[in-house]
Amino acid sequence: MVGLIVYFAVQGFHWGDTVGVIGAVVGIAGLLLAVYGMILVRRDQPAGGERSVHIGQQATHEGMVSTGDGAINIQMKGTASGHGNVYQAGRDQHIDQRTIERQTVLPDDVVWPVAEVEAPPGLVNVPGHQHVFVGRGDELEELDTALRAPGGVVVAAVHGLGGVGKSTLAARYAAVHAVQAATEERAGPDETVFHPVWWITADTAEAVQAGLAGLAAALQPELKTALDVEALAERGLAWLGCHEGWLVVLDNVNDPAHIAPLMDRTMRGRVLVTSRLGQGWHRFGAKVLRLDVLTEEQAIDLLTQIAAPNGTNGAVLDGSAELVAELGFLPLAVEQAAAYLHQNQLSPRQYLQLLAASPTAVYDQTAEGSDARTIARIWRITLDRLTTGTPLAGDLLRILAWYAPEAVPRALLDGLNELKGWEESAAPPLLQAALGKLAAYNMITLTPDTVTVHRLVQAVARTPDDHGEPGGADPHRQPEAITASLQTANQLMYRTVPADLADIADPVGWSGGQQLMPHMDALGAHLLTVAYGPWTSLLLTS
């Protein structure tokens, strides 16, 4: 352009000058193109002081955008199409190709780096810590030792059969140390102190997100109505990542993958996990603790504290030892039986009579005002997960339910695929997979040579659900399936009997006979019960 101007200055412009005319046309066209390009660039770029933010994921362009200018913070949730941007200049927004669903203006004294947010004194969220608690001194000490270990983030995972008291143990531990946290200046040098102590029900990924959002809202209540759950959860997770000294309880984890995002971003603090699942915690470097049932003394103590809280005449608790033994010393079962005794003013012996006459009704009912979870409901949920993709797990549990609540030789199950109708469904790889899953969820105890089922798991598994719940009858306790499992259990046992029946009288000389005799006795009693009824069976076996 400069050269063209010099040319015209020297030669002058003449219409007859072909070179001059062509040069002028080209120069004017170039000038117009340059001006047009500048207009396009100006339209697609933010004005002075503006910030351009690409919303969310590339596929949907949905997400949360945080912008601000001076003392103003803008929280916008929007949906953008194509490659649209959001421009923010001061208080003015320029929106192109998107829909803004909500906009919240936050003062600058509300939103500041999470590293600068301090937990308010006594921040505690521990449900159920007021429950009656007995025993478990060794378990609490073992848990404390695990969580006092040095390092960045320390994880302890407590697993066990549903109803064994995992959540109760975690709540007691968290509550004790939450009290210490509230009076930190009085805590001794050897006492573990955590602050804050936060409980998250973690049975789904969505529940974990909601728990983290609750933490963020507890840290800064003014954000509760300003941000959505996703943004609050992100802020809660970020807070855990840059603070230490806290304890988070992740209760009832069904899948380690649900808590992986949290664990991947926490480098300090303490995490206590409870789960029915006993496998998969190594990925978090967790100290794994298996929780067992109560002792007889502890179970009787629990029964007494609930059924006779005012120290009623001991005659009311006649049969306590027999009842807690029948319930397998399982804390939830003992607690619910005790609440029922107190509500209906029954003795343990009367409860046993009800249990013998109508087990279905007893296993599926609770006293008014008590925990709505029954052992039958809890184990149904577990079996729902187990039998998805591994239906043989439910079949095995029903078969094992007819034997004694003692160690069953695994060899007894090896011939299952040789029985008619089981050739494919009980092939050795499928059998081992089903046993492994049952053990992983603590529905059985597995050793290299034996498999053991808790007596109450057995009792529920072989009791038909013939009345059903509001959600429908238990699919794992259908009468036809239970009857078929008794026949299968009998066939498996029959295969092990010596050809000479006289050898049965000498179990010492019969290979494996000593280990199988209690199971033959239990199976025989159940066969009599099915054939003649519980009272006739009791008389005959006596």
XYZ file of all heavy atoms in Angstrom, residues 306-348:
305
model
N -31.792 -53.959 76.311
C -32.917 -53.470 75.497
C -34.248 -54.048 75.967
O -35.247 -53.340 76.072
C -32.676 -53.818 74.009
C -31.393 -53.155 73.509
C -33.868 -53.392 73.162
C -30.990 -53.550 72.105
N -34.269 -55.347 76.262
C -35.532 -55.991 76.647
C -35.949 -55.639 78.068
O -37.141 -55.557 78.369
C -35.412 -57.506 76.509
N -34.966 -55.424 78.937
C -35.281 -55.100 80.338
C -34.412 -53.935 80.788
O -33.502 -54.097 81.606
C -35.043 -56.313 81.221
N -34.648 -52.746 80.216
C -33.763 -51.603 80.499
C -33.781 -51.146 81.944
O -32.839 -50.527 82.415
C -34.314 -50.508 79.577
C -35.739 -50.883 79.345
C -35.759 -52.376 79.332
N -34.846 -51.469 82.684
C -34.959 -51.020 84.072
C -34.637 -52.124 85.066
O -35.035 -52.048 86.235
C -36.370 -50.483 84.333
C -36.713 -49.327 83.420
O -35.872 -48.462 83.182
N -37.933 -49.308 82.901
N -33.950 -53.141 84.592
C -33.573 -54.217 85.496
C -34.751 -55.007 86.014
O -34.855 -55.314 87.196
N -35.679 -55.346 85.104
C -36.868 -56.097 85.492
C -36.482 -57.469 86.027
O -35.389 -57.970 85.784
C -37.794 -56.257 84.267
O -37.842 -55.023 83.576
C -39.206 -56.618 84.683
N -37.397 -58.078 86.735
C -37.178 -59.402 87.309
C -36.517 -60.347 86.308
O -36.928 -60.448 85.162
C -38.535 -59.987 87.748
C -38.357 -61.272 88.537
O -37.334 -61.933 88.438
N -39.355 -61.601 89.332
N -35.469 -61.041 86.730
C -34.714 -61.917 85.849
C -35.539 -62.999 85.211
O -35.172 -63.545 84.175
N -36.680 -63.347 85.802
C -37.525 -64.401 85.233
C -38.046 -64.015 83.862
O -38.336 -64.866 83.032
C -38.692 -64.694 86.175
N -38.178 -62.698 83.621
C -38.664 -62.231 82.324
C -37.705 -62.648 81.221
O -38.097 -62.878 80.082
C -38.841 -60.701 82.351
C -39.230 -60.181 80.983
C -39.866 -60.301 83.394
N -36.410 -62.768 81.552
C -35.402 -63.088 80.554
C -35.045 -64.570 80.572
O -33.940 -64.946 80.191
C -34.155 -62.230 80.791
C -34.381 -60.720 80.687
C -33.092 -59.971 80.903
C -34.979 -60.360 79.339
N -35.968 -65.384 81.006
C -35.763 -66.833 81.003
C -35.553 -67.316 79.567
O -36.356 -67.049 78.685
C -36.990 -67.526 81.602
C -36.895 -69.039 81.514
O -35.813 -69.574 81.827
O -37.894 -69.667 81.104
N -34.448 -67.997 79.337
C -34.151 -68.510 78.001
C -33.255 -67.596 77.190
O -33.104 -67.799 75.977
N -32.620 -66.611 77.825
C -31.778 -65.665 77.088
C -30.624 -66.354 76.364
O -30.349 -66.076 75.194
C -31.214 -64.608 78.045
O -32.229 -63.812 78.577
N -29.946 -67.262 77.065
C -28.796 -67.932 76.462
C -29.213 -68.739 75.239
O -28.527 -68.730 74.197
C -28.114 -68.833 77.496
N -30.354 -69.440 75.354
C -30.826 -70.235 74.218
C -31.209 -69.338 73.039
O -30.933 -69.680 71.879
C -32.028 -71.079 74.627
C -31.705 -72.171 75.641
C -31.853 -71.691 77.084
O -31.719 -70.463 77.305
O -32.092 -72.537 77.961
N -31.815 -68.196 73.326
C -32.244 -67.313 72.246
C -31.063 -66.707 71.507
O -31.022 -66.723 70.270
C -33.141 -66.194 72.798
C -33.600 -65.150 71.775
C -34.309 -65.798 70.592
C -34.496 -64.101 72.426
N -30.092 -66.170 72.232
C -28.957 -65.536 71.543
C -28.154 -66.576 70.768
O -27.573 -66.279 69.716
C -28.062 -64.751 72.528
C -28.821 -63.599 73.156
C -27.441 -65.659 73.579
N -28.121 -67.820 71.260
C -27.438 -68.883 70.520
C -28.183 -69.196 69.231
O -27.573 -69.403 68.169
C -27.316 -70.127 71.391
N -29.528 -69.259 69.312
C -30.328 -69.519 68.118
C -30.146 -68.409 67.090
O -30.187 -68.657 65.873
C -31.799 -69.643 68.508
C -32.728 -69.981 67.348
C -32.480 -71.363 66.772
O -31.936 -72.234 67.484
O -32.833 -71.579 65.587
N -29.918 -67.179 67.546
C -29.706 -66.042 66.650
C -28.245 -65.904 66.234
O -27.882 -64.947 65.533
C -30.173 -64.750 67.331
C -31.673 -64.694 67.688
C -31.985 -63.415 68.445
C -32.536 -64.817 66.438
N -27.428 -66.861 66.683
C -26.036 -66.873 66.248
C -25.228 -65.706 66.777
O -24.190 -65.360 66.185
N -25.680 -65.076 67.882
C -24.972 -63.956 68.503
C -24.791 -62.778 67.548
O -23.877 -61.974 67.715
C -23.602 -64.403 69.039
C -23.657 -65.666 69.856
C -22.993 -66.814 69.436
C -24.391 -65.723 71.032
C -23.047 -67.980 70.187
C -24.462 -66.894 71.784
C -23.785 -68.026 71.364
N -25.654 -62.705 66.547
C -25.582 -61.618 65.564
C -26.212 -60.362 66.169
O -27.394 -60.369 66.534
C -26.318 -62.027 64.283
C -26.111 -61.117 63.075
C -24.698 -61.246 62.530
C -27.122 -61.451 61.976
N -25.487 -59.266 66.282
C -25.978 -58.088 67.000
C -27.327 -57.556 66.517
O -28.201 -57.270 67.337
C -24.867 -57.057 66.777
C -23.634 -57.873 66.614
C -24.074 -59.106 65.883
N -27.513 -57.402 65.206
C -28.770 -56.842 64.716
C -29.944 -57.759 65.061
O -31.014 -57.291 65.465
C -28.710 -56.617 63.208
C -29.981 -56.032 62.581
C -30.335 -54.686 63.184
C -29.836 -55.925 61.061
N -29.751 -59.062 64.924
C -30.818 -60.008 65.239
C -31.149 -59.976 66.728
O -32.321 -60.004 67.123
C -30.413 -61.416 64.806
N -30.117 -59.912 67.562
C -30.339 -59.854 69.015
C -31.042 -58.548 69.381
O -31.988 -58.546 70.188
C -28.998 -59.974 69.763
C -29.190 -59.730 71.261
C -28.372 -61.344 69.531
N -30.600 -57.453 68.801
C -31.209 -56.151 69.095
C -32.683 -56.130 68.708
O -33.531 -55.643 69.475
C -30.449 -55.057 68.345
C -31.029 -53.669 68.523
C -30.296 -52.636 67.689
O -29.142 -52.895 67.288
O -30.872 -51.553 67.429
N -33.022 -56.657 67.549
C -34.410 -56.624 67.101
C -35.285 -57.593 67.897
O -36.443 -57.292 68.182
C -34.471 -56.917 65.602
C -33.840 -55.794 64.778
C -33.939 -56.009 63.287
O -34.098 -57.132 62.830
N -33.838 -54.936 62.539
N -34.719 -58.720 68.270
C -35.474 -59.646 69.119
C -35.735 -59.010 70.481
O -36.844 -59.106 71.030
C -34.699 -60.953 69.284
N -34.729 -58.333 71.021
C -34.887 -57.687 72.328
C -35.942 -56.592 72.277
O -36.760 -56.459 73.202
C -33.549 -57.110 72.778
N -35.946 -55.798 71.213
C -36.957 -54.745 71.081
C -38.357 -55.349 70.991
O -39.320 -54.803 71.539
C -36.656 -53.894 69.845
N -38.477 -56.480 70.313
C -39.770 -57.153 70.192
C -40.219 -57.697 71.548
O -41.398 -57.619 71.906
C -39.667 -58.281 69.169
C -40.990 -58.889 68.788
C -41.809 -58.293 67.831
C -41.427 -60.067 69.374
C -43.024 -58.856 67.481
C -42.640 -60.638 69.040
C -43.438 -60.026 68.085
O -44.646 -60.582 67.750
N -39.279 -58.238 72.314
C -39.604 -58.734 73.651
C -40.114 -57.593 74.527
O -41.095 -57.750 75.264
C -38.370 -59.363 74.300
C -37.769 -60.619 73.654
C -36.595 -61.123 74.483
C -38.808 -61.714 73.495
N -39.436 -56.475 74.463
C -39.823 -55.338 75.291
C -41.187 -54.801 74.871
O -42.025 -54.473 75.715
C -38.761 -54.237 75.174
C -39.015 -53.057 76.056
N -39.642 -51.910 75.599
C -38.751 -52.843 77.371
C -39.742 -51.037 76.586
N -39.209 -51.575 77.681
N -41.434 -54.724 73.580
C -42.704 -54.191 73.083
C -43.871 -55.102 73.449
O -44.939 -54.626 73.874
C -42.633 -54.029 71.565
C -43.966 -53.682 70.909
C -43.858 -53.580 69.405
O -43.384 -52.579 68.885
N -44.269 -54.632 68.701
N -43.692 -56.401 73.309
C -44.789 -57.350 73.508
C -44.769 -58.024 74.873
O -45.603 -58.899 75.133
C -44.753 -58.415 72.404
C -45.047 -57.842 71.045
O -46.193 -57.626 70.679
N -43.995 -57.581 70.273
N -43.784 -57.625 75.709
C -43.682 -58.173 77.059
C -43.652 -59.701 77.034
O -44.433 -60.390 77.697
C -44.838 -57.667 77.930
C -44.772 -56.177 78.225
C -43.535 -55.804 79.011
O -43.384 -56.157 80.175
N -42.618 -55.082 78.369
N -42.723 -60.209 76.235
C -42.524 -61.645 76.113
C -41.184 -62.034 76.726
O -40.276 -61.204 76.852
C -42.554 -62.081 74.647
C -43.858 -61.862 73.870
C -43.648 -62.216 72.404
C -44.985 -62.687 74.471
N -41.037 -63.298 77.037
C -39.749 -63.815 77.502
C -38.984 -64.366 76.297
O -39.580 -64.679 75.258
C -39.961 -64.926 78.523
O -40.475 -66.089 77.871
N -37.673 -64.504 76.413
C -36.906 -65.113 75.323
C -37.410 -66.502 74.944
O -37.408 -66.870 73.764
C -35.481 -65.168 75.889
C -35.422 -64.031 76.844
C -36.781 -63.983 77.471
